[in-house]
Amino acid sequence: MTVTYVINGSEVTGLERFWQVIGEAVNGPGGYFGRNPDSFADCLRGGMGTPDDDDFVIEWRDHTRSAAALGHQETARYLRGLQARADPGNLPGLRQELTRADAGLGPTLFDRLVEIIRAETAPGTLLLR
């Protein structure tokens, strides 16, 4: 039996809220399912609330509202926060990415989250509605 986890896109108002929404969708109120891209990818690989046999679907409803909330402005805010703790060798690339986000260019957080889901789950797991 396939389990469906629903992300209500209208509830996603920024990245922190996305972590709450996905955590609760998978593991109930107050649930955890990652708090950064790396831990999110780890959770998607299994053992953190998703069925062990990978028989699940993530239905992202009203995803266009999430895409707007996780757009270039939120991406730039997130990248600014990373600068303080980034490895010095990674700063030039991070700054370049930030400049692009500030200009409304390049992948957004929404794009990255979709990419992570698609990379870490079976084809057809993500349904954008």
Side-chain angles (χ1 to χ4, degrees), residues 44-86:
L44 285 166
R45 289 185 199 112
M48 294 298 295
T50 58
D52 291 332
D53 61 2
D54 292 333
D55 194 14
F56 67 96
V57 169
I58 297 172
E59 184 178 330
W60 198 329
R61 297 178 184 166
D62 205 6
H63 74 279
T64 56
R65 289 191 59 189
S66 294
L70 299 169
H72 289 105
Q73 183 177 0
E74 180 71 352
T75 302
R77 187 194 66 75
Y78 171 72
L79 293 170
R80 276 189 196 86
L82 290 180
Q83 287 185 108
R85 58 185 187 275

Side-chain angles (χ1 to χ4, degrees), residues 4-114:
T4 300
Y5 302 110
V6 176
I7 299 172
N8 289 315
S10 61
E11 293 181 22
V12 176
T13 55
L15 187 58
E16 286 76 22
R17 183 68 182 130
F18 170 79
W19 301 131
Q20 293 170 344
V21 170
I22 189 67
E24 291 180 358
V26 175
N27 291 309
Y32 173 86
F33 203 71
R35 291 280 187 262
N36 64 60
D38 290 334
S39 63
F40 180 53
D42 288 344
C43 289
L44 285 166
R45 289 185 199 112
M48 294 298 295
T50 58
D52 291 332
D53 61 2
D54 292 333
D55 194 14
F56 67 96
V57 169
I58 297 172
E59 184 178 330
W60 198 329
R61 297 178 184 166
D62 205 6
H63 74 279
T64 56
R65 289 191 59 189
S66 294
L70 299 169
H72 289 105
Q73 183 177 0
E74 180 71 352
T75 302
R77 187 194 66 75
Y78 171 72
L79 293 170
R80 276 189 196 86
L82 290 180
Q83 287 185 108
R85 58 185 187 275
D87 181 275
N90 293 336
L91 279 174
L94 184 61
R95 288 184 181 133
Q96 185 177 36
E97 204 175 342
L98 174 56
T99 298
R100 289 182 49 80
D102 277 333
L105 302 170
T108 65
L109 287 168
F110 177 80
D111 298 328
R112 290 170 190 219
L113 293 169
V114 166

